[in-house]
Amino acid sequence: MSNNSEVKIVLLLTPQRMLKDHVVLESLHIHKNGRSVDYIINQLDNGELRRFYSEAPSTLKLLLASFREEAVAERAASIKKRHAAQRAGISFEVYFINAMLREMHELFDKIKRHAESMKWYHKIKADDKFKTGPCSVYSARPSLSFEVVKEKELLQLKTNIVIDHVAHPLQSFNRFHFLLEKENVYYVMGFKDYQTLEWLVDNDPAQYSSNPELLATQILSRLEPDYPVNRNGLFSQNHIEVVPVNRVMLSEISGSFLVLTPQWLYESFVIEGEWKETFETVKNGEGYVVKRNAEAEDEFRKLLLGLHPNFSKQVNGYYYLPFAEAQKKQWFLKVYHQLLDGNIQVIGMDMLNHFRYSPHKIETKIKITENDNETLDLQITILFGKEEVPLADLQKMLLAGQKAILLKDGSLGVPGHEWLQQYGIIIKHGKISGKVVTVARWMAMNEQESATSQEVLKPILKNAWWEKWTQWLQPGSSVYEVPAAIKATLRPYQKKGYEWMRLLAEVGAGACLADDMGLGKTLQTISFIVHQVSEFPQRKNVIICPSSLVYNWLQELQKFAPHLKASVYHGAQRNFELMASADDHLIITTYGTLRSDIDKLSSITFGVAVIDESHNIKNPAALITRAVNQLNAINRIALSGTPVMNNTFDLYAQLSFLLPGMFGSREFFKSEYADAIDRDRDPEKIQTLQRLTAPFILRRTKEQVASDLPDKIESVLWCQMGADQWAAYESIKEKVRSSIFLDIKEKGLGSGKLSVINGMLKLRQVCNSCALVKDEDLFTYDSVKTDILVAELQNIIVGHKALVFSQFTSMLDLLEESFKKHQIVSCRLDGSTPMELRQELVNNFQKDDSKERVFLISLKAGNAGLNLTAADYVFLFDPWWNTAVQQQAIDRTHRIGQTKNVFAYKMICKDTIEEKIIKLQERKKQLADDLVGGEEGFVKSLGMDDIEFLFS
């Protein structure tokens, strides 16, 4: 390069042009004439490179030439051709930006290696002006680290740039895509790090600042596998304190030494190496602290030390022998079986290159020796050549995740993928006793698609049943007729659900109906119960549900199967002897009552036992779960729109109720499936569990059955108050009633109707929430409607959006608080919302990717003029007496542009003024049709008998 004292030649970096015209590197000639300085900018073309960069290495000159305008144009044309060819549905703009940045990053990554041999200037914008001055490019690559801090009770994610082991806040740098600048020094980030920062911009962690759980699962879980993240103890951690499972990891060194490494499994967390009191780790955003068991680990180390004299001299935490020594007098074979006999897992066998594989294919002989209502006894013989493999050893090998077993001749027997799929699941899920494996008979259902040559358990079910099952699997086919006593016409998918329950009942299997909310799980179940009652009229059947749903069941039974004798077994006045001796077909009880009376209820053998909202028993250790599993029932049904609410382990208790014994102990299910799926995202375990559960869980989403549904379905969501809220309601009602009738007596019916309006208002507030009543000394703030609404929204917002209307803005305040507590993201519109903000809220809610899943709206502010077709569920939290106004609210979503079926629910408290209003509207249909106003128009039409009825 020129050493001219008057002219200096340097590289000019203009990072702002990265995506503007992509010419970010040029040649700058600095002319100094006395006190003045002139800058002349030239392209890095061949002439410039020859004249002023002749001493640069050829590789550097090629790199510099890649920044000239012609090279940029060629690059752009090439990217355009690639976009046309790739056909991935990505817009050209997005594709072009990503591709151009990636190629430019590659150039900068290469050129920074020569940075120290070059003189650098940069032109950057500062204080709205461009300034040119010296700079440098750092040759080492910076890295990212993250830290969570708490500021004003909110969690903030801090991003750091680590340079030479020193962390600097990201905000102390100027960032130009993958280039960072600080104090005139440029750093080239790794492209993955650049993409991570872009992802954080798109998924702003600040939105989860008040929600540690979501911050961990939505943000930290994406960062922690690749970057250091300091949580600073701000997140709750799962503490694990169990007796570990001992395990030996086999490996080899240089193909000459066999290595035995002791490991300990603490609930599927593998720990090895030097002793520490605790082990901390993070999986998928959740923090775990494992308290290690010193005594158990020391005992295992002592056991391994005693396996060979050489081990006592080895102090590295693992033990090794030359293969020749390990095979002497069959030492390794004996140790292998000694470990298995001691219930010590042995893994890594199939990764040892020193061992040869057995030339024999696995041979399996199987015979069904016992077959009862729930289990099968299978006599199984496993052979490799002439050697019989003990079933217990094989099961231990499979449970340890190994796919090879050590044979007596020192070779490895490999069952193969097909054998593992066919027989491995049977052996893993079975109870081993010598040569006999006991399994749940329902595992035969998993062979529905097996070829004849592979059938093992399938023949235990009759051919006639398999024919019906095959027929049921065909779309549009019919297996059974719906009972004539059902007062409804089932939609095609509902008939399929009824038939499915009947088919599973015929083979003694339980059924989990997991349809979306609003698709008629109750009607399908009632149809099944009606059939069972017609077949077995002497059997008593039971429905267990949350107390808030007791009346819903009674209402639906009266509507669809009025001939059934049904009674409620619940409350302080319940009488078990009277219930047990009555000739009712069906009793309805609650989870709480079942838990209290399980000793009595378990003495009855029920025909059908239904558990509604079955995710209530997701905790296997809970008393209610134990109580449910003590029920004696011939047929078992579970109903839930969300059988899995938090994690895969939620399924275990429900499956154990439906299919006793099929999924083994809770420890087995947790290690084999729940941890592997939830913590490790193991695709093989996901596929296996889906295959095992598929016949017994029927889930249809609203989208899947849309063609069977009307455009709009309106229903009442009945709410049964708890004892405290009901006591508060009764207390207020008595005061209101006395006041109203006194006013009417003194002022006459016409003048007294203002008191009626005020009384109705107060009672409606209690129905919504006791917290709304400000001028009464109430002892509770309960709101059954809020509890039910939150539960329903948690079920549906994963794939849907909902509108929630209330007349009371103070109720919207309470709902907002409850939604935040339950991590339901919502937006809100009421009379105080500025006009200019309303359309912005609507537009944002209408976006497919909006984080707000629920729109809270005051009825008066939002009952007209809004287009909210992104929602397909509507909840009228408090009924409006003007049915036209209610319809306008529903039509915010059910209007032109709506492509989905709409479900609308009026939330009504049972046995309150709300139910009585509905009955009055039904009695006075013309009144309901003609009403124009709200309470005033309604009250004007009431006679004295009507007022007596309302406040009775």
Side-chain angles (χ1 to χ4, degrees), residues 138 140-143 161-168 187:
Y138 195 70
R141 176 174 291 177
S143 61
I161 305 299
V162 181
I163 301 168
D164 293 335
H165 307 292
V166 177
H168 307 265
Y187 306 88

Side-chain angles (χ1 to χ4, degrees), residues 630-788:
Q630 289 177 56
L631 280 173
N632 289 310
I634 296 167
N635 301 114
R636 299 168 179 234
I637 304 292
L639 305 177
S640 177
T642 52
V644 177
M645 294 193 72
N646 301 307
N647 51 55
T648 306
F649 199 56
D650 288 351
L651 269 179
Y652 177 72
Q654 297 168 75
L655 291 171
S656 295
F657 167 73
L658 298 173
L659 307 158
M662 181 163 165
F663 291 93
S665 68
R666 54 187 292 196
E667 291 77 19
F668 166 79
F669 186 86
K670 193 172 189 302
S671 62
E672 182 68 16
Y673 296 111
D675 289 344
I677 292 171
D678 297 328
R679 292 181 187 173
D680 305 326
R681 305 287 193 261
D682 187 324
E684 188 176 326
K685 294 296 175 70
I686 293 172
Q687 185 180 18
T688 299
L689 186 59
Q690 286 175 338
R691 182 161 66 91
L692 285 169
T693 58
F696 313 106
I697 300 177
L698 183 61
R699 172 162 177 74
R700 279 82 56 90
T701 65
K702 199 175 75 166
E703 289 75 18
Q704 288 171 323
V705 299
S707 60
D708 290 347
L709 296 172
D711 292 341
K712 178 173 63 175
I713 301 170
E714 297 184 38
S715 308
V716 172
L717 193 56
W718 292 103
C719 306
Q720 188 78 45
M721 290 180 182
D724 287 348
Q725 189 177 1
W726 179 251
Y729 179 86
E730 285 291 293
S731 171
I732 297 291
K733 187 181 76 173
E734 286 307 311
K735 291 181 183 179
V736 167
R737 177 182 170 84
S738 300
S739 174
I740 286 172
F741 288 111
L742 181 62
D743 276 1
I744 291 175
K745 184 177 180 180
E746 292 178 351
K747 303 176 184 176
L749 182 59
S751 300
K753 286 186 176 179
L754 179 60
S755 296
V756 174
I757 291 174
N758 291 333
M760 286 171 57
L761 175 65
K762 188 166 286 190
L763 290 181
R764 289 176 60 215
Q765 287 177 324
V766 181
C767 289
N768 274 9
S769 172
C770 294
L772 291 183
V773 184
K774 302 298 183 185
D775 56 348
E776 299 284 345
D777 186 19
L778 297 181
F779 49 86
T780 178
Y781 294 110
D782 287 359
S783 169
V784 65
K785 286 190 181 182
T786 300
D787 294 342
I788 290 176

Side-chain angles (χ1 to χ4, degrees), residues 119-271:
K119 297 282 188 185
W120 293 80
Y121 267 56
H122 64 151
K123 184 179 180 181
I124 56 173
K125 198 171 186 179
D127 300 326
D128 294 327
K129 295 180 180 178
F130 279 96
K131 294 182 179 180
T132 303
C135 69
S136 61
V137 177
Y138 195 70
S139 59
R141 176 174 291 177
S143 61
L144 294 179
S145 71
F146 299 91
E147 181 180 16
V148 182
V149 297
K150 198 167 190 177
E151 297 177 354
K152 297 180 180 179
E153 299 305 311
L154 297 177
L155 297 180
Q156 304 291 339
L157 181 69
K158 302 293 185 184
T159 303
N160 293 321
I161 305 299
V162 181
I163 301 168
D164 293 335
H165 307 292
V166 177
H168 307 265
L170 174 64
Q171 58 266 32
S172 66
F173 294 81
N174 293 312
R175 183 163 78 92
F176 307 97
H177 307 290
F178 52 80
L179 289 178
L180 298 172
E181 183 270 330
K182 182 179 182 181
E183 297 175 356
N184 301 321
V185 180
Y186 282 84
Y187 306 88
V188 182
M189 302 175 65
F191 200 74
K192 181 181 178 181
D193 293 350
Y194 152 70
Q195 289 177 313
T196 297
L197 293 185
E198 291 296 300
W199 180 82
L200 285 171
V201 171
D202 293 338
N203 299 271
D204 183 12
Q207 66 182 303
Y208 307 117
S209 59
S210 59
N211 192 322
E213 185 177 336
L214 284 180
L215 179 61
T217 56
Q218 301 299 316
I219 302 295
L220 303 189
S221 65
R222 293 284 299 271
L223 299 175
E224 283 165 327
D226 300 310
Y227 302 101
V229 178
N230 184 355
R231 295 187 171 210
N232 282 318
L234 296 173
F235 295 80
S236 60
Q237 292 179 302
N238 299 291
H239 290 267
I240 297 173
E241 187 172 353
V242 295
V243 177
V245 173
N246 296 325
R247 187 163 88 168
V248 170
M249 174 70 178
L250 301 175
S251 57
E252 58 184 49
I253 300 175
S254 306
S256 302
F257 289 87
L258 174 66
V259 181
L260 287 74
T261 303
Q263 295 180 334
W264 296 270
L265 271 72
Y266 289 85
E267 285 196 359
S268 82
F269 287 107
V270 179
I271 298 175

